[in-house]
């Protein structure tokens, strides 16, 4: 309602003519994104890092437990890095740590409150690393049963909290999909059709990406609901896979490889896929069991290294806004996308 009162319609249209991106934003009006603090409008997401981590515990699904870390210790270590990202203009961060790998939504709520950032968390199970992070029932239950568990987190909140997932996170191994990993993508598809949550799948090479996309299409889910996480491959594979309409997640950006990523981004832009690229660092990683959480990677290489290179190579402000603001808002808006 407030938006409607913001400007008389005539003035609003005049404004839109001057700032065309507002027209796109206006289309988002009734849409929303789930953060750990609750729903926000896509236009409120702002500059976003779409794949980062606060804490990751590699001990395995059979041994993990939240008493392996202390919230105040983690906050003391991580909060300065979140504030550093915020000082670079970051408004939102998508926290991609799945359940049984250290997802802790109460910790994320505290960090969101203290940092002022929007944080998104997820539902789903991670099958990559040969199923070390899958709970026992993921092996025996059907895709429908798994989807029911994930959909319940969307409807009722995660682990007795009111925090709802902002996306589905799954993970598959590098090669052809195993039967178990086919089941995970199927469960993600069924959950998507019930909830409208976007599916982010830790994937890597193009082969398992395309196999997942095929399964989604067969289940009536549009590839636009799929994020090809850790996307890697030849230029040809990028073009072929991106042609499906999926999101391309170039999420391993750091100081050393920023120039290389800039080349790839400019290549994909030239091929017409600017509106499908998502970028991030896959950084962070407080590790329980390591002294002081181990070596923690900050979230600033994109602001400090990558964007300056892109600008230097001729990328204009509108294209940067597309990458850092509009694409994340479109990718994480909750909506059912049928094929
Ligand atoms: Zn990650």
């Amino acid at each position: 309602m407030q938006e409607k009162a913001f400007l008389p319609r005539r003035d609003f249209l005049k404004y839109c003519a001057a700032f065309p991106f507002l027209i796109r934003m206006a289309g988002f009006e009734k849409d929303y994104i789930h953060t750990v603090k609750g729903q926000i409008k896509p236009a409120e997401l702002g500059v976003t890092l779409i794949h980062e981590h606060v804490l990751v515990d590699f001990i395995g699904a059979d041994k993990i437990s939240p008493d392996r870390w202390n919230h105040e210790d983690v906050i003391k270590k991580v909060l300065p890095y979140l504030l550093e990202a915020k000082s670079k203009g970051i408004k939102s961060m998508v926290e991609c740590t799945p359940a049984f790998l250290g997802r802790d939504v109460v910790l994320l709520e505290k960090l969101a409150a203290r940092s002022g950032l929007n944080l998104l968390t997820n539902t789903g199970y991670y099958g990559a690393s040969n199923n070390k992070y899958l709970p026992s029932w993921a092996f025996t239950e059907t895709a429908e049963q798994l989807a029911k568990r994930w959909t319940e987190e969307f409807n009722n909140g995660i682990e007795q909290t009111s925090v709802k997932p902002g996306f589905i996170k799954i993970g598959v191994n590098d090669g052809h999909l195993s039967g178990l990993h086919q089941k995970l993508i199927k469960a993600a598809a069924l959950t998507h059709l019930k909830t409208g949550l976007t599916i982010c799948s830790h994937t890597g090479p193009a082969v398992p990406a395309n196999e997942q996309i095929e399964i989604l299409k067969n289940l009536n889910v549009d590839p636009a609901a799929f994020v090809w996480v850790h996307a890697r491959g030849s230029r040809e594979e990028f073009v072929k896979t991106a042609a499906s309409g999926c999101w391309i997640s170039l999420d391993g950006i750091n100081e050393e490889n920023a120039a290389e990523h800039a080349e790839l981004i400019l290549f994909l832009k030239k091929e017409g896929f600017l509106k499908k690229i998502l970028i991030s660092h896959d950084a962070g990683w407080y590790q329980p069991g390591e002294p002081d959480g181990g070596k923690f990677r900050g979230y600033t290489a994109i602001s400090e290294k990558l964007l300056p290179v892109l600008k230097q190579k001729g990328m204009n402000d509108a294209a940067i806004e597309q990458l850092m603001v509009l694409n994340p808002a479109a990718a994480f808006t909750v909506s059912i996308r049928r094929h």
Side-chain angles (χ1 to χ4, degrees):
M1 283 293 126
Q2 263 173 336
E3 290 69 38
K4 292 212 173 104
F6 174 57
L7 276 179
R9 183 174 163 78
R10 202 186 35 210
D11 291 357
F12 180 70
L13 291 176
K14 227 195 285 170
Y15 208 62
C16 287
F19 301 97
F21 72 91
L22 279 179
I23 297 173
R24 294 194 297 265
M25 288 300 199
F28 289 143
E29 218 175 287
K30 63 181 183 326
D31 297 330
Y32 67 93
I33 289 171
H34 263 162
T35 81
V36 299
K37 287 184 279 191
Q39 287 187 10
I40 61 169
K41 294 201 171 92
E44 293 174 77
L45 198 67
V47 181
T48 302
L49 297 174
I50 57 83
H51 187 122
E52 306 295 344
H53 297 273
V54 163
L55 175 149
V56 186
D57 189 351
F58 294 103
I59 189 118
D62 49 345
K63 297 196 191 71
I64 199 163
S65 118
D67 55 24
R68 286 180 36 81
W69 57 90
N70 170 286
H71 280 184
E72 284 311 311
D73 291 346
V74 180
I75 290 168
K76 188 163 165 257
K77 175 93 178 202
V78 177
L79 185 60
Y81 290 98
L82 295 180
L83 294 174
E84 183 187 31
K86 195 182 173 191
S87 77
K88 305 285 176 194
I90 304 298
K91 295 272 186 295
S92 303
M93 207 181 263
V94 178
E95 214 281 344
C96 285
T97 308
F100 305 99
L101 254 164
R103 180 188 68 170
D104 181 339
V105 301
V106 176
L107 174 65
L108 295 182
E109 270 185 305
K110 290 179 184 174
L111 283 168
R114 294 211 206 166
S115 68
L117 292 175
N118 296 308
L119 298 177
L120 276 69
T121 188
N122 63 88
T123 189
Y125 298 149
Y126 181 92
S129 303
N130 291 319
N131 311 315
K132 185 180 175 191
Y133 305 107
L134 288 178
S136 57
W137 56 89
F139 295 87
T140 54
E141 290 188 355
T142 64
E144 288 75 9
Q145 286 171 309
L146 297 178
K148 188 164 174 271
R149 289 177 182 271
W150 302 348
T151 304
E152 263 167 27
E153 291 198 327
F154 175 81
N155 289 332
N156 305 321
I158 295 167
E159 293 157 358
Q160 281 86 50
T161 70
S162 58
V163 175
K164 296 187 174 181
F167 60 107
I168 301 160
K169 173 77 189 281
I170 61 167
V172 300
N173 280 347
D174 271 10
H176 290 287
L177 295 181
S178 65
L180 180 56
H181 294 176
Q182 288 173 23
K183 184 172 78 178
L184 292 180
I185 185 69
K186 185 179 176 191
L190 299 175
T191 307
H192 172 77
L193 292 170
K194 287 264 191 274
T195 64
L197 291 176
T198 297
I199 303 162
C200 298
S201 179
H202 167 112
T203 296
V207 166
N210 284 298
E211 289 182 7
Q212 289 175 94
I213 289 166
E214 276 315 300
I215 290 172
L216 292 176
K217 290 200 287 197
N218 288 333
L219 291 167
N220 235 349
V221 175
D222 194 297
F226 180 77
V227 180
W228 174 18
V229 174
H230 311 320
R232 64 174 200 261
S234 65
R235 295 289 200 257
E236 249 182 331
E237 285 174 316
F238 268 108
V239 169
K240 196 170 156 277
T241 309
S244 72
C246 73
W247 294 96
I248 312 292
S249 180
L250 306 176
D251 46 50
I253 294 165
N254 58 41
E255 271 81 6
E256 285 73 45
N257 65 21
E260 200 184 307
H261 274 98
E263 291 303 325
L264 180 56
I265 290 164
L266 291 167
F267 167 78
L268 289 169
K269 178 173 179 283
K270 184 168 67 66
E271 295 292 322
F273 298 116
L274 177 66
K275 291 185 176 175
K276 286 298 178 181
I277 306 169
L278 298 168
I279 62 174
S280 214
H281 306 98
D282 197 9
W285 307 49
Y286 180 102
Q287 289 183 47
E290 302 261 331
D292 193 29
K295 193 173 179 307
F296 196 93
R297 281 208 291 128
Y299 311 103
T300 56
I302 289 178
S303 316
E304 288 174 352
K305 295 278 180 199
L306 179 79
L307 296 182
V309 176
L310 287 174
K311 282 182 190 165
Q312 192 198 335
K313 299 211 177 242
M315 204 181 236
N316 63 22
D317 288 349
I320 304 267
E321 193 202 5
Q322 188 73 45
L323 269 183
M324 300 302 296
V325 179
L326 298 176
N327 287 352
F332 290 94
T333 292
V334 179
S335 81
I336 296 171
R337 282 146 279 176
R338 287 183 206 281
H339 178 58

